[in-house]
Amino acid sequence: MNSLKENILIVDDNYEMLTLFQRTIKALNYQTYKASSVNEAIEVLKNNSINLLITDLNMPEINGIELIKYTEEHFPEISKLVVTGMPSIDNAVDAIKSGALEYLIKPFTSEELSKAIKNSLIKKQIHLSISLKKQTIALQ
């Protein structure tokens, strides 16, 4: 499947959901890291090379939108995917404006998760490629 395993950080305050995510994502041949809070996720981001952040929105203390914003500001090269069991138009708009590339509503199938992961990684590669081309043109 993947010749190089992308590193995916999964953030959810529900232990059972984290375990399910991890099992599903490992079966798709990705390397996984997990965190049960935003503060724990930030430590993982600081100490590991992460390609994709998957975060729940509704968590105690600091929510997933704040994690998306933090990641976009400090690690803009990381793709971001939001999953939520409490979807709303406002949350979806906030997530996308904050830097999320995909928004997935729980419950979802492993196929839907796989597609969202692939789309997030591809969209980020395209975005980075366009940014690099713009920088090259600006330097000429």
Side-chain angles (χ1 to χ4, degrees):
M1 191 181 275
N2 299 332
S3 58
L4 295 174
K5 286 188 176 185
E6 286 89 353
N7 295 320
I8 298 177
L9 170 58
I10 312 152
V11 186
D12 199 308
D13 61 322
N14 180 309
Y15 179 78
E16 290 80 19
M17 186 58 74
L18 266 180
T19 303
L20 177 65
F21 266 126
Q22 189 172 38
R23 190 175 333 125
T24 303
I25 293 169
K26 279 188 173 185
L28 296 170
N29 202 30
Y30 295 105
Q31 176 66 41
T32 61
Y33 295 84
K34 60 184 180 178
S36 58
S37 71
V38 170
N39 288 329
E40 192 179 328
I42 290 170
E43 287 305 310
V44 173
L45 289 167
K46 287 179 179 178
N47 295 307
N48 298 280
S49 176
I50 302 297
N51 303 98
L52 173 62
L53 167 70
I54 300 176
T55 185
D56 189 18
L57 287 182
N58 298 313
M59 292 185 284
E61 298 177 33
I62 306 169
N63 68 33
I65 293 291
E66 294 305 315
L67 178 57
I68 294 289
K69 288 177 183 177
Y70 176 88
T71 306
E72 185 66 16
E73 182 178 333
H74 294 90
F75 305 96
E77 71 284 359
I78 295 176
S79 299
K80 291 159 276 303
L81 165 61
V82 167
V83 293
T84 184
M86 301 173 155
S88 75
I89 298 295
D90 289 341
N91 279 345
V93 170
D94 284 348
I96 300 302
K97 282 184 175 179
S98 298
L101 297 171
E102 291 283 324
Y103 185 89
L104 193 58
I105 299 169
K106 298 175 188 175
F108 46 81
T109 66
S110 58
E111 292 81 20
E112 290 169 327
L113 178 59
S114 175
K115 183 177 178 183
I117 289 170
K118 289 176 185 173
N119 285 343
S120 295
L121 292 168
I122 289 169
K123 285 178 183 178
K124 183 51 82 170
Q125 287 175 340
I126 291 169
H127 181 265
L128 291 173
S129 176
I130 290 169
S131 294
L132 184 60
K133 285 179 184 177
K134 285 181 180 178
Q135 289 174 356
T136 302
I137 291 169
L139 292 173
Q140 293 177 349

